[in-house]
mmCIF file of all heavy atoms in Angstrom:
data_model
loop_
_atom_site.group_PDB
_atom_site.id
_atom_site.type_symbol
_atom_site.label_atom_id
_atom_site.label_comp_id
_atom_site.label_asym_id
_atom_site.label_seq_id
_atom_site.Cartn_x
_atom_site.Cartn_y
_atom_site.Cartn_z
ATOM 1 N N ILE A 298 -50.680 -52.580 -70.428
ATOM 2 C CA ILE A 298 -51.932 -51.824 -70.438
ATOM 3 C C ILE A 298 -51.823 -50.787 -71.552
ATOM 4 O O ILE A 298 -51.058 -49.831 -71.445
ATOM 5 C CB ILE A 298 -52.179 -51.136 -69.085
ATOM 6 C CG1 ILE A 298 -52.264 -52.193 -67.975
ATOM 7 C CG2 ILE A 298 -53.443 -50.302 -69.116
ATOM 8 C CD1 ILE A 298 -52.458 -51.611 -66.596
ATOM 9 N N SER A 299 -52.592 -51.001 -72.623
ATOM 10 C CA SER A 299 -52.448 -50.128 -73.784
ATOM 11 C C SER A 299 -53.763 -50.022 -74.531
ATOM 12 O O SER A 299 -54.619 -50.907 -74.430
ATOM 13 C CB SER A 299 -51.368 -50.685 -74.729
ATOM 14 O OG SER A 299 -51.745 -51.977 -75.181
ATOM 15 N N PRO A 300 -53.956 -48.936 -75.287
ATOM 16 C CA PRO A 300 -55.160 -48.818 -76.111
ATOM 17 C C PRO A 300 -55.198 -49.947 -77.147
ATOM 18 O O PRO A 300 -54.221 -50.190 -77.849
ATOM 19 C CB PRO A 300 -54.991 -47.453 -76.790
ATOM 20 C CG PRO A 300 -54.029 -46.709 -75.932
ATOM 21 C CD PRO A 300 -53.105 -47.752 -75.366
ATOM 22 N N GLY A 301 -56.309 -50.639 -77.213
ATOM 23 C CA GLY A 301 -56.440 -51.717 -78.187
ATOM 24 C C GLY A 301 -55.786 -53.019 -77.770
ATOM 25 O O GLY A 301 -55.801 -53.990 -78.529
ATOM 26 N N GLY A 302 -55.191 -53.071 -76.574
ATOM 27 C CA GLY A 302 -54.569 -54.298 -76.114
ATOM 28 C C GLY A 302 -55.591 -55.292 -75.605
ATOM 29 O O GLY A 302 -56.774 -54.992 -75.445
ATOM 30 N N SER A 303 -55.128 -56.514 -75.330
ATOM 31 C CA SER A 303 -56.036 -57.562 -74.863
ATOM 32 C C SER A 303 -56.004 -57.731 -73.350
ATOM 33 O O SER A 303 -56.946 -58.261 -72.761
ATOM 34 C CB SER A 303 -55.663 -58.899 -75.524
ATOM 35 O OG SER A 303 -54.310 -59.245 -75.209
ATOM 36 N N GLN A 304 -54.930 -57.268 -72.697
ATOM 37 C CA GLN A 304 -54.800 -57.456 -71.254
ATOM 38 C C GLN A 304 -55.487 -56.313 -70.508
ATOM 39 O O GLN A 304 -55.496 -55.170 -70.967
ATOM 40 C CB GLN A 304 -53.326 -57.541 -70.861
ATOM 41 C CG GLN A 304 -52.633 -58.785 -71.408
ATOM 42 C CD GLN A 304 -51.154 -58.786 -71.083
ATOM 43 O OE1 GLN A 304 -50.454 -57.807 -71.362
ATOM 44 N NE2 GLN A 304 -50.669 -59.865 -70.512
ATOM 45 N N CYS A 305 -56.020 -56.639 -69.333
ATOM 46 C CA CYS A 305 -56.758 -55.624 -68.582
ATOM 47 C C CYS A 305 -56.684 -55.911 -67.085
ATOM 48 O O CYS A 305 -56.713 -57.073 -66.652
ATOM 49 C CB CYS A 305 -58.221 -55.596 -69.034
ATOM 50 S SG CYS A 305 -59.253 -54.440 -68.090
ATOM 51 N N ILE A 306 -56.570 -54.839 -66.308
ATOM 52 C CA ILE A 306 -56.737 -54.879 -64.856
ATOM 53 C C ILE A 306 -57.967 -54.024 -64.558
ATOM 54 O O ILE A 306 -57.948 -52.821 -64.791
ATOM 55 C CB ILE A 306 -55.508 -54.333 -64.119
ATOM 56 C CG1 ILE A 306 -54.272 -55.196 -64.413
ATOM 57 C CG2 ILE A 306 -55.761 -54.282 -62.617
ATOM 58 C CD1 ILE A 306 -52.984 -54.648 -63.822
ATOM 59 N N ASN A 307 -59.016 -54.649 -64.095
ATOM 60 C CA ASN A 307 -60.268 -53.941 -63.837
ATOM 61 C C ASN A 307 -60.094 -52.991 -62.660
ATOM 62 O O ASN A 307 -59.904 -53.419 -61.525
ATOM 63 C CB ASN A 307 -61.388 -54.943 -63.559
ATOM 64 C CG ASN A 307 -62.722 -54.271 -63.314
ATOM 65 O OD1 ASN A 307 -62.902 -53.081 -63.593
ATOM 66 N ND2 ASN A 307 -63.678 -55.021 -62.786
ATOM 67 N N VAL A 308 -60.172 -51.689 -62.922
ATOM 68 C CA VAL A 308 -59.937 -50.702 -61.877
ATOM 69 C C VAL A 308 -61.059 -50.718 -60.836
ATOM 70 O O VAL A 308 -60.865 -50.272 -59.697
ATOM 71 C CB VAL A 308 -59.786 -49.296 -62.503
ATOM 72 C CG1 VAL A 308 -61.111 -48.805 -63.054
ATOM 73 C CG2 VAL A 308 -59.211 -48.305 -61.498
ATOM 74 N N LEU A 309 -62.232 -51.257 -61.181
ATOM 75 C CA LEU A 309 -63.341 -51.302 -60.237
ATOM 76 C C LEU A 309 -63.343 -52.584 -59.399
ATOM 77 O O LEU A 309 -64.215 -52.752 -58.539
ATOM 78 C CB LEU A 309 -64.679 -51.191 -60.974
ATOM 79 C CG LEU A 309 -65.244 -49.768 -61.173
ATOM 80 C CD1 LEU A 309 -64.360 -48.964 -62.096
ATOM 81 C CD2 LEU A 309 -66.661 -49.831 -61.716
ATOM 82 N N GLU A 310 -62.397 -53.456 -59.631
ATOM 83 C CA GLU A 310 -62.401 -54.750 -58.937
ATOM 84 C C GLU A 310 -61.980 -54.606 -57.471
ATOM 85 O O GLU A 310 -60.967 -53.973 -57.154
ATOM 86 C CB GLU A 310 -61.462 -55.730 -59.639
ATOM 87 C CG GLU A 310 -61.420 -57.098 -58.977
ATOM 88 C CD GLU A 310 -60.468 -58.050 -59.663
ATOM 89 O OE1 GLU A 310 -59.771 -57.622 -60.601
ATOM 90 O OE2 GLU A 310 -60.402 -59.229 -59.263
ATOM 91 N N ILE A 311 -62.769 -55.207 -56.589
ATOM 92 C CA ILE A 311 -62.375 -55.353 -55.183
ATOM 93 C C ILE A 311 -61.741 -56.725 -55.064
ATOM 94 O O ILE A 311 -62.410 -57.746 -55.262
ATOM 95 C CB ILE A 311 -63.595 -55.232 -54.249
ATOM 96 C CG1 ILE A 311 -64.285 -53.879 -54.435
ATOM 97 C CG2 ILE A 311 -63.169 -55.405 -52.795
ATOM 98 C CD1 ILE A 311 -65.560 -53.724 -53.626
ATOM 99 N N ARG A 312 -60.456 -56.760 -54.776
ATOM 100 C CA ARG A 312 -59.720 -58.018 -54.808
ATOM 101 C C ARG A 312 -59.749 -58.727 -53.453
ATOM 102 O O ARG A 312 -59.586 -58.094 -52.407
ATOM 103 C CB ARG A 312 -58.274 -57.764 -55.246
ATOM 104 C CG ARG A 312 -58.201 -57.163 -56.637
ATOM 105 C CD ARG A 312 -56.807 -56.772 -57.050
ATOM 106 N NE ARG A 312 -56.849 -56.125 -58.354
ATOM 107 C CZ ARG A 312 -57.045 -54.827 -58.531
ATOM 108 N NH1 ARG A 312 -57.173 -54.044 -57.482
ATOM 109 N NH2 ARG A 312 -57.102 -54.322 -59.737
ATOM 110 N N LYS A 313 -59.921 -60.015 -53.518
ATOM 111 C CA LYS A 313 -59.952 -60.820 -52.304
ATOM 112 C C LYS A 313 -58.546 -60.878 -51.724
ATOM 113 O O LYS A 313 -57.566 -61.059 -52.448
ATOM 114 C CB LYS A 313 -60.439 -62.233 -52.609
ATOM 115 C CG LYS A 313 -60.654 -63.097 -51.367
ATOM 116 C CD LYS A 313 -61.237 -64.449 -51.739
ATOM 117 C CE LYS A 313 -61.448 -65.300 -50.505
ATOM 118 N NZ LYS A 313 -62.376 -64.707 -49.533
ATOM 119 N N LYS A 314 -58.426 -60.713 -50.429
ATOM 120 C CA LYS A 314 -57.120 -60.747 -49.789
ATOM 121 C C LYS A 314 -57.127 -61.706 -48.607
ATOM 122 O O LYS A 314 -58.136 -61.880 -47.929
ATOM 123 C CB LYS A 314 -56.695 -59.348 -49.333
ATOM 124 C CG LYS A 314 -57.657 -58.674 -48.361
ATOM 125 C CD LYS A 314 -57.203 -57.260 -48.062
ATOM 126 C CE LYS A 314 -58.163 -56.570 -47.102
ATOM 127 N NZ LYS A 314 -57.764 -55.166 -46.835
ATOM 128 N N ASP A 315 -55.990 -62.322 -48.391
ATOM 129 C CA ASP A 315 -55.827 -63.246 -47.276
ATOM 130 C C ASP A 315 -55.292 -62.456 -46.086
ATOM 131 O O ASP A 315 -54.106 -62.139 -46.023
ATOM 132 C CB ASP A 315 -54.859 -64.369 -47.661
ATOM 133 C CG ASP A 315 -54.616 -65.353 -46.520
ATOM 134 O OD1 ASP A 315 -55.369 -65.287 -45.531
ATOM 135 O OD2 ASP A 315 -53.676 -66.165 -46.616
ATOM 136 N N ASP A 316 -56.174 -62.122 -45.158
ATOM 137 C CA ASP A 316 -55.755 -61.339 -43.990
ATOM 138 C C ASP A 316 -55.671 -62.196 -42.732
ATOM 139 O O ASP A 316 -55.738 -61.684 -41.619
ATOM 140 C CB ASP A 316 -56.704 -60.162 -43.765
ATOM 141 C CG ASP A 316 -58.142 -60.621 -43.551
ATOM 142 O OD1 ASP A 316 -58.414 -61.817 -43.742
ATOM 143 O OD2 ASP A 316 -58.983 -59.774 -43.192
ATOM 144 N N SER A 317 -55.506 -63.520 -42.918
ATOM 145 C CA SER A 317 -55.435 -64.412 -41.764
ATOM 146 C C SER A 317 -54.213 -64.104 -40.896
ATOM 147 O O SER A 317 -54.281 -64.142 -39.671
ATOM 148 C CB SER A 317 -55.389 -65.876 -42.224
ATOM 149 O OG SER A 317 -54.325 -66.092 -43.131
ATOM 150 N N ALA A 318 -53.088 -63.768 -41.557
ATOM 151 C CA ALA A 318 -51.879 -63.435 -40.797
ATOM 152 C C ALA A 318 -52.079 -62.148 -39.997
ATOM 153 O O ALA A 318 -51.649 -62.043 -38.842
ATOM 154 C CB ALA A 318 -50.685 -63.298 -41.743
ATOM 155 N N ASN A 319 -52.760 -61.175 -40.610
ATOM 156 C CA ASN A 319 -53.018 -59.918 -39.907
ATOM 157 C C ASN A 319 -53.935 -60.134 -38.706
ATOM 158 O O ASN A 319 -53.745 -59.534 -37.647
ATOM 159 C CB ASN A 319 -53.642 -58.905 -40.867
ATOM 160 C CG ASN A 319 -52.690 -58.496 -41.980
ATOM 161 O OD1 ASN A 319 -51.481 -58.684 -41.869
ATOM 162 N ND2 ASN A 319 -53.234 -57.957 -43.058
ATOM 163 N N ARG A 320 -54.945 -60.995 -38.872
ATOM 164 C CA ARG A 320 -55.849 -61.268 -37.755
ATOM 165 C C ARG A 320 -55.119 -61.993 -36.635
ATOM 166 O O ARG A 320 -55.392 -61.783 -35.453
ATOM 167 C CB ARG A 320 -57.034 -62.108 -38.239
ATOM 168 C CG ARG A 320 -58.000 -61.351 -39.145
ATOM 169 C CD ARG A 320 -59.350 -62.054 -39.196
ATOM 170 N NE ARG A 320 -59.224 -63.450 -39.588
ATOM 171 C CZ ARG A 320 -59.285 -63.862 -40.850
ATOM 172 N NH1 ARG A 320 -59.459 -63.000 -41.830
ATOM 173 N NH2 ARG A 320 -59.187 -65.143 -41.129
ATOM 174 N N LEU A 321 -54.183 -62.870 -37.014
ATOM 175 C CA LEU A 321 -53.410 -63.598 -36.012
ATOM 176 C C LEU A 321 -52.521 -62.646 -35.220
ATOM 177 O O LEU A 321 -52.353 -62.791 -34.006
ATOM 178 C CB LEU A 321 -52.551 -64.675 -36.688
ATOM 179 C CG LEU A 321 -51.746 -65.600 -35.769
ATOM 180 C CD1 LEU A 321 -52.691 -66.426 -34.894
ATOM 181 C CD2 LEU A 321 -50.852 -66.524 -36.581
ATOM 182 N N LEU A 322 -51.978 -61.639 -35.893
ATOM 183 C CA LEU A 322 -51.102 -60.678 -35.222
ATOM 184 C C LEU A 322 -51.885 -59.667 -34.395
ATOM 185 O O LEU A 322 -51.479 -59.317 -33.285
ATOM 186 C CB LEU A 322 -50.254 -59.937 -36.267
ATOM 187 C CG LEU A 322 -49.178 -60.749 -36.995
ATOM 188 C CD1 LEU A 322 -48.576 -59.925 -38.119
ATOM 189 C CD2 LEU A 322 -48.081 -61.208 -36.042
#
Side-chain angles (χ1 to χ4, degrees):
I298 300 178
S299 61
S303 59
Q304 294 176 308
C305 176
I306 297 175
N307 181 14
V308 70
L309 269 66
E310 180 181 5
I311 301 176
R312 299 174 184 88
K313 187 176 180 61
K314 58 185 179 182
D315 178 12
D316 59 351
S317 55
N319 295 341
R320 290 199 305 269
L321 184 63
L322 291 172

